[in-house]
């Protein structure tokens, strides 16, 4: 397991206290799980994602991520409609481990209220949360 | 310690079975054809499945070699917590194989099947006596199947009173089957935290129990190997709100002749005949999970029920409140025959079996508590739970310890369960292990704990003695290859 | 007691090591008012030899072949089982092992189950099979629950010609969580009538048994087409006699989404109905929604081929209340028996044996018809079929039993309109002479 100072925590994303990240990209928000989350899970073997077109509220479960012996639910950082999912994860679930903020992204959302981003944690607040865990 | 019992020997490679054989061989003595061939519409017939053609010798060698890659209770100590891997007496195999039992058709009329019906009725009485819960069904085919049946009975009981309930209390130490079984019956599980002593506190149950809660599912002794000492108070609380107390009897091996579940407020429970009553685990089944209940719950038991009238036995279907059927026929009768034989061979000595099971667990706990961290240092029942806390400093985990035990010639304990204990190592020796076997096991554990400090690589690389080494489970799960 | 190794001396030594004086002191953590005070009221222990005598006597009260000629099928079939299989199953490394959670010392069980899964996919024409379930009935119930889970629909349709006990189990499983079951009627030829299904999209799954409870082979081709008018609706095919697929096209060839049923026929003793073998197979796209254990192929640290339990995140010990099923045990040893049985038969043997079963029943059917017994259903059958006897046969059926012949199963208790109808079965274990003897009795 990584020590806290080994974790990659980019400045351009925001975090939830359930360890998802969200990044504003144009009109949309891209979502994945944090470096901390992937490290805790271990080798990711499967990611279950919703259908494009489905809508969720902030905090709703939208999928699950599985390692060999655990399964974790993943929750919406913001409300909105899923406009794209990362199809590549079906064949390459390991991207969640190797590149959690890049090739390991999970869904893209058309947010219904972009101001919900403001309620998420920035890098420092997230790091503080991790220190407490 | 003396030389470890784990060693290496000649194991033989063996390919997948379809990589063997030649078209035209046969391993089967086909009966002579004494009737004419009758054609069947060709639109219906196919080519038949692609199976290898093998001789009897090919088949015998294949499975004999495969068997030699396995470790069973007959090979050595198998201290798998919560699984009760006790010795499986040989005479049971003889009894179940008697042609009168093995070849019996399940739809024979009662007049032609008195032997098995009598056996089932007597076994029901025995299990009722052992649990103190006299209404017994033998139909469930495994422990989890018994839980499901039990939860259906709980549901039927509340519905019959005209007040359906929707929640069920399940302690955080429970087996995963408990929440899964209750959901299948339409209940939402409500988790109950155990207290700092590792058991349930009556106050916690009182806070959660309400009139929409159907009851509580308790494993007693619990999965930490501790007796739920507040069971009577908890039962009073649950009964006070109209609920039922269900016990997961996976750990009944500590309780025979010691505690009568019917007398401490338990309304119904299941038994695992493949644990407590010595029937073989068969590499994962068949098992058998009878449910024992209070007499007034009898109307809800599955049909058919085995009944006696004037000394003859029959199967009775006329029980309108019954939950229905959970098995095509009457359960795993072949397993029931083995459990019945066990009870007849042991008689009142079953109490001695429980006493010695608890003695063995406490002996191991006492002898290893300076070797592995013991989170609850109290008298245990039939199993004890350690953790890898003291080995963490050397970056050695429970998994490494378990794998190294294989090199020493033992089956590993249950690991990483119960979930409430981080890095759990759950040891259940059972009563059929002798003191010298336990002493060798204890010495092996101590030697491994030393290795963890001195040469941790030995643990991380373990096991090295079996035919294969640690498996790439990530690869198996990422790109499942489930058939050849 | 020969299973308990402790001498009194050892017990004292062990108690001393714990710091106790008596075995009773081990139980002080159990409150006084929870302890049992009365002794277990069980018979005194039997010796091994007394037990043998007792069990022999019980077994002697059972009517079995060859003393009895039993023309019963209906979900439990009498077939020859090679002695080699009986002896191999007594390899105690197999039968005294637990679930293969430690793959390094369970490769025997794991490879055998992988081979079993493979055989099942080939026999049923499917892509993936699990490591087995309790029995055919619960496998069918689990199949319908899986269809409900995947489609998120709440209603299923089940043919009336599925084994009545299987339907009862399905009802028990589906009633508890509150799902609806629609029964599909039968047609005059002894097969299922699907004409009431106008909108397959209303159903999570539609289940048909083939050969069905009457032994009739269903027209799976037309059912598959009809059900898959909505490609999301699960076409579920059940069976009680898998030996039929040695001869018939497998259900997978007709697009079945789940094929499940009872494997007892393939090398497992009847044992009064259990243990049996719940066989369960589906398409690979549904694998993560499938109940039951799965064994997968992988490699070890040194790159050597090996097998592990895999996709365990579907199961109860990880996903708890969100598991695909509560199932934990499979019927491991029975699956092993079936793998051994299919290995012994091979492709050639299986086909010959299946054909022999079909032909024995056809011979019995033809002979009965010639003796004036009505064969009410015209659909082709496998190794069992329905015969309608004249009034008064019930008494003859009882008299035949005294002559140690069980002449089929009366159907009226299951299908009240089928008065005087009996389901008769003849497998390879019944000889022509025995069939002829039955015909003489029936005709007399």
């Amino acid at each position: 397991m990584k020590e806290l100072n080994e974790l990659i925590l980019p400045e351009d994303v925001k975090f939830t206290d359930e360890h998802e990240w969200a990044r504003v990209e144009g009109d949309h928000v891209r979502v994945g799980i944090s470096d901390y989350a992937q490290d805790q899970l271990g080798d990711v073997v499967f990611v279950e994602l919703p259908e494009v077109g489905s809508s969720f509220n902030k905090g709703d479960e939208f999928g699950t991520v599985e390692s060999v012996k655990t399964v974790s639910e993943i929750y919406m950082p913001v409300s909105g409609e899923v406009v794209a999912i990362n199809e590549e994860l079906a064949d390459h679930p390991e991207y969640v481990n190797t590149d959690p903020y890049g090739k390991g992204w999970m869904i893209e959302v058309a947010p219904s209220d972009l101001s919900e981003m403001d309620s998420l944690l920035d890098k420092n607040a997230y790091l503080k949360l991790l220190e407490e865990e | 310690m003396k030389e470890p019992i784990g060693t290496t020997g000649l194991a033989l490679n063996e390919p997948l079975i379809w990589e063997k054989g030649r078209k035209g061989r046969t391993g089967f003595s086909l009966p002579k054809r004494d009737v004419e061939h009758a054609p069947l519409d060709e639109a219906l017939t196919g080519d038949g499945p692609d199976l290898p053609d093998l001789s009897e010798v090919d088949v015998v060698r294949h499975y004999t070699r495969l068997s030699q890659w396995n470790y069973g209770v007959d090979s050595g100590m198998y201290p798998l917590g919560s699984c009760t891997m006790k010795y499986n007496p040989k005479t049971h195999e003889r009894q179940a194989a008697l042609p009168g039992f093995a070849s019996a058709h399940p739809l024979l009329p009662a007049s032609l099947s008195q032997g098995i019906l009598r056996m089932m009725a007597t076994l029901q009485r025995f299990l009722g006596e052992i649990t103190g819960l006299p209404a017994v069904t033998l139909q469930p085919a495994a422990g989890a199947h018994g839980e499901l049946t039990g939860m259906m009975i709980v549901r039927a009981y509340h519905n019959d009173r005209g007040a359906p309930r929707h929640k069920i209390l399940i302690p955080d130490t429970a087996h995963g089957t408990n929440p899964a079984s209750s959901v299948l019956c339409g209940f939402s599980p409500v988790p109950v935290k155990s207290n700092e002593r590792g058991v349930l506190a009556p106050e916690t149950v009182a806070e959660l129990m309400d009139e929409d809660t159907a009851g509580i599912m308790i494993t007693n002794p619990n999965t930490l190997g501790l007796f739920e000492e507040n069971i009577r108070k908890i039962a009073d609380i649950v009964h006070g709100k109209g609920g039922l107390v269900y016990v997961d009897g996976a750990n009944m091996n500590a309780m025979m002749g010691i505690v009568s579940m019917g007398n401490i407020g338990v309304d119904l429970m299941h038994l695992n005949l493949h644990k407590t009553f010595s029937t073989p685990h068969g590499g994962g089944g068949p098992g058998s999970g009878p449910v024992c209940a209070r007499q007034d719950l009898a109307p809800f038991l599955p049909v058919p029920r085995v009944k006696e009238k004037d000394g003859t036995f029959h199967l009775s279907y006329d029980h309108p409140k019954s939950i229905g059927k959970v098995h095509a026929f009457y359960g795993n009768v072949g397993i029931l025959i083995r459990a019945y034989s066990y009870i007849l061979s042991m008689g009142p000595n079953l109490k001695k079996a429980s006493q010695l099971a608890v003695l063995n667990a406490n002996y191991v706990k006492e002898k290893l508590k300076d070797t592995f961290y013991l989170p609850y240092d109290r008298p245990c029942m039939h199993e004890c739970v350690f953790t890898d806390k003291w080995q963490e400093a050397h970056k050695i985990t429970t998994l490494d310890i378990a794998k190294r035990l294989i090199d020493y010639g033992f089956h590993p304990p249950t690991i990483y369960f119960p979930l409430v204990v981080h890095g759990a190592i759950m040891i259940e020796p059972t009563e059929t292990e002798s003191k010298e076997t336990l002493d060798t096991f204890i010495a092996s554990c101590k030697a491994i704990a030393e290795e963890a400090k001195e040469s941790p690589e030995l643990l991380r690389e373990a096991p090295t003695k079996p035919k294969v080494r640690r498996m790439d489970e990530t690869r198996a799960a990422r790109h499942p290859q489930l058939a050849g | 007691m020969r299973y308990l190794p402790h001498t009194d001396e050892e017990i004292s030594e062990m108690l001393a090591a714990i710091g106790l004086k008596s075995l009773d002191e081990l139980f002080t953590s159990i409150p006084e008012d929870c302890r049992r005070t009365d002794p277990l009221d069980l018979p005194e222990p039997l010796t091994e030899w007394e037990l043998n005598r007792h069990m022999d006597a019980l077994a002697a009260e059972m009517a079995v072949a060859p003393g009895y000629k039993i023309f019963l099928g209906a979900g439990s079939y009498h077939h020859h089982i090679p002695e080699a299989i009986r002896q191999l199953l007594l390899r105690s490394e197999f039968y005294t092992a637990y679930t293969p959670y430690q793959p390094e010392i369970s490769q025997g069980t794991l490879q055998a189950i992988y081979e079993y899964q493979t055989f099942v996919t080939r026999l049923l024409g499917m892509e993936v099979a699990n490591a087995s379930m309790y029995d055919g009935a619960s496998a069918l119930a689990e199949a319908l629950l899986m269809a409900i889970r995947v489609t998120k629909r709440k209603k299923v349709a089940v043919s009336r010609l599925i084994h009545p006990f299987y339907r009862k189990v399905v009802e028990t499983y589906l009633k508890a969580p509150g799902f609806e079951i629609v029964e599909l009627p039968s047609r005059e030829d002894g097969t299922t009538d699907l004409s009431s299904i106008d909108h397959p999209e209303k159903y999570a799954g539609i289940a048909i048994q083939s050969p069905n409870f009457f032994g009739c082979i269903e027209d799976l081709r037309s059912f598959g087409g009809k059900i898959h008018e909505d490609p999301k609706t699960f076409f579920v095919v059940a069976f009680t006699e898998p030996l039929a697929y040695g001869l018939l096209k497998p259900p997978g060839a007709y697009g079945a989404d789940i094929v499940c049923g009872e494997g007892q026929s393939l090398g497992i003793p009847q044992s009064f109905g259990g243990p049996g073998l719940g066989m369960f197979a589906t398409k690979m796209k549904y694998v993560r929604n499938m109940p039951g254990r799965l064994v997968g192929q992988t490699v070890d640290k040194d790159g050597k081929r090996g097998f592990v339990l895999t996709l365990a995140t579907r199961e109860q010990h990880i996903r708890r209340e969100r598991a695909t099923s509560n199932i934990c045990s499979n019927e491991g040893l029975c699956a092993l028996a079936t793998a051994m049985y299919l290995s012994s038969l091979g492709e050639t043997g299986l086909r010959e044996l299946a054909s022999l079963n079909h032909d024995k029943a056809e011979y019995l059917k033809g002979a009965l018809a010639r003796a004036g017994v009505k064969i009410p259903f015209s659909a082709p059958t496998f190794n069992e079929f329905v015969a309608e006897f004249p009034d008064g046969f019930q008494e003859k059926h009882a008299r035949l039993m005294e002559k140690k012949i069980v002449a089929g199963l009366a159907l009226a208790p299951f299908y009240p309109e089928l008065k005087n109808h009996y389901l008769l079965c003849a497998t390879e274990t019944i000889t022509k002479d025995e069939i002829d003897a039955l015909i003489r009795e029936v005709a007399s």
Side-chain angles (χ1 to χ4, degrees), chain C residues 29-205:
Chain C
S29 66
I30 301 177
E32 194 76 43
D33 63 354
C34 287
R35 277 183 246 168
R36 182 173 186 142
T37 48
D38 58 322
L40 286 171
D41 179 18
L42 295 171
E44 281 308 303
L46 299 185
T47 65
E48 181 168 356
W49 327 113
E50 288 166 336
L51 179 67
N52 286 350
R53 204 181 313 166
H54 172 71
M55 298 304 276
D56 289 349
L58 285 179
E61 288 184 78
M62 302 298 298
V64 293
Y68 279 77
K69 309 302 168 201
I70 296 173
F71 295 86
L72 286 176
S76 178
Y77 302 91
H78 190 234
H79 293 293
H80 290 305
I81 300 174
E83 178 61 16
I85 294 181
R86 199 187 65 79
Q87 292 196 24
L88 285 169
L89 287 172
L90 286 174
R91 294 287 310 186
S92 66
E93 301 94 326
F94 283 134
Y95 85 82
T96 74
Y98 192 62
T99 303
Y101 287 133
Q102 298 290 340
E104 300 87 348
I105 47 174
S106 314
Q107 283 299 303
T109 296
L110 287 162
Q111 180 169 329
I113 297 289
Y114 180 77
E115 292 171 353
Y116 162 81
Q117 289 175 182
T118 302
F119 282 175
V120 174
T121 60
R122 293 182 186 184
L123 182 69
L124 304 178
M126 300 299 285
E127 290 168 353
V128 57
N130 70 17
S132 77
M133 315 192 79
Y134 305 138
D135 68 352
S138 63
L140 175 59
E142 294 266 11
L144 293 169
L145 286 174
M146 173 174 152
I148 288 166
R149 207 163 47 236
V150 174
T151 60
K152 300 190 172 72
R153 298 172 189 165
K154 294 192 179 315
K155 187 159 79 170
V156 298
V158 171
S159 160
R160 186 163 182 265
L161 301 180
I162 287 181
H163 196 300
F165 289 170
Y166 287 30
R167 282 184 283 132
K168 192 84 185 157
V169 172
V170 166
E171 188 190 318
T172 307
Y173 268 72
L174 267 62
K175 192 173 61 182
F179 301 117
E180 188 189 343
I181 305 169
V182 174
E183 193 173 275
L184 299 173
S186 51
R187 300 192 305 187
E188 274 191 0
D189 69 347
T191 62
T192 303
D193 181 356
L194 208 62
S195 62
S196 61
I197 301 284
D198 292 335
H199 295 282
E201 71 277 8
K202 287 184 182 163
Y203 298 89

Side-chain angles (χ1 to χ4, degrees), chain B residues 6 33 82 123 157 167 214 254 279 302 304 310-311 317 341 433 436 439:
Chain B
R33 174 174 278 281
S82 256
L123 179 59
Y157 165 84
K167 294 186 290 184
T279 73
D310 307 327
Y317 283 88
S341 301
E433 297 306 328
E436 69 253 33
D439 286 336

Side-chain angles (χ1 to χ4, degrees), chain B residues 223-404:
Chain B
T223 55
L224 294 165
L226 305 174
F227 187 81
E228 288 288 352
E229 56 200 18
N230 303 313
I231 179 93
R232 270 178 175 275
K233 276 186 202 147
I234 291 168
D236 287 345
I237 293 164
V238 172
H239 291 154
K241 299 271 184 187
L244 294 176
V245 177
Y246 183 92
V247 157
D248 176 335
N251 296 338
M252 192 65 191
N253 205 40
M255 300 277 97
M256 292 183 289
I258 309 287
V259 171
S260 169
M261 293 290 176
N263 284 340
I264 61 169
V266 177
D267 300 299
L268 71 168
M269 68 181 298
H270 78 265
L271 296 168
N272 300 73
L273 299 187
H274 47 288
K275 296 180 181 176
T276 314
F277 296 93
S278 86
T279 73
H281 283 70
S288 178
V291 172
C292 307
R294 250 167 39 193
Q295 194 58 47
D296 62 307
L297 294 174
F300 304 107
L301 296 184
V303 287
R305 291 172 57 198
V306 185
K307 292 276 190 179
E308 182 185 355
K309 199 180 168 199
D310 307 327
T312 58
F313 299 86
H314 65 280
L315 292 167
S316 149
Y317 283 88
D318 188 20
H319 301 279
K321 290 185 180 180
S322 162
I323 60 163
K325 275 176 86 54
V326 294
H327 187 273
F329 295 105
Y330 326 113
N332 284 344
V333 174
I335 303 303
L336 303 178
I337 293 166
R338 292 169 171 90
Y340 175 74
S341 301
Y342 179 66
I343 296 172
L344 285 180
S345 302
M346 296 290 285
N349 282 331
L350 286 175
K351 178 175 179 179
K352 190 75 180 276
S354 282
Q355 288 174 322
L356 295 178
V358 174
L359 175 69
N360 277 0
N362 278 281
Y363 183 73
V364 168
K365 174 178 78 77
E366 200 59 34
K367 291 278 188 177
L368 283 180
K369 73 178 186 187
D370 298 327
T371 306
F372 298 126
Y373 174 68
L374 184 66
Y376 299 95
D377 186 4
R378 294 169 42 204
C380 63
M381 290 287 118
H382 63 300
E383 64 193 0
C384 52
V385 178
F386 294 98
T387 85
D388 56 1
K389 192 173 174 181
W390 292 341
Q391 281 70 38
E392 261 177 14
H394 313 290
K395 297 222 163 197
I396 287 299
T397 64
T398 288
L399 184 71
D400 300 325
I401 297 167
K403 295 299 184 194
R404 187 59 177 159

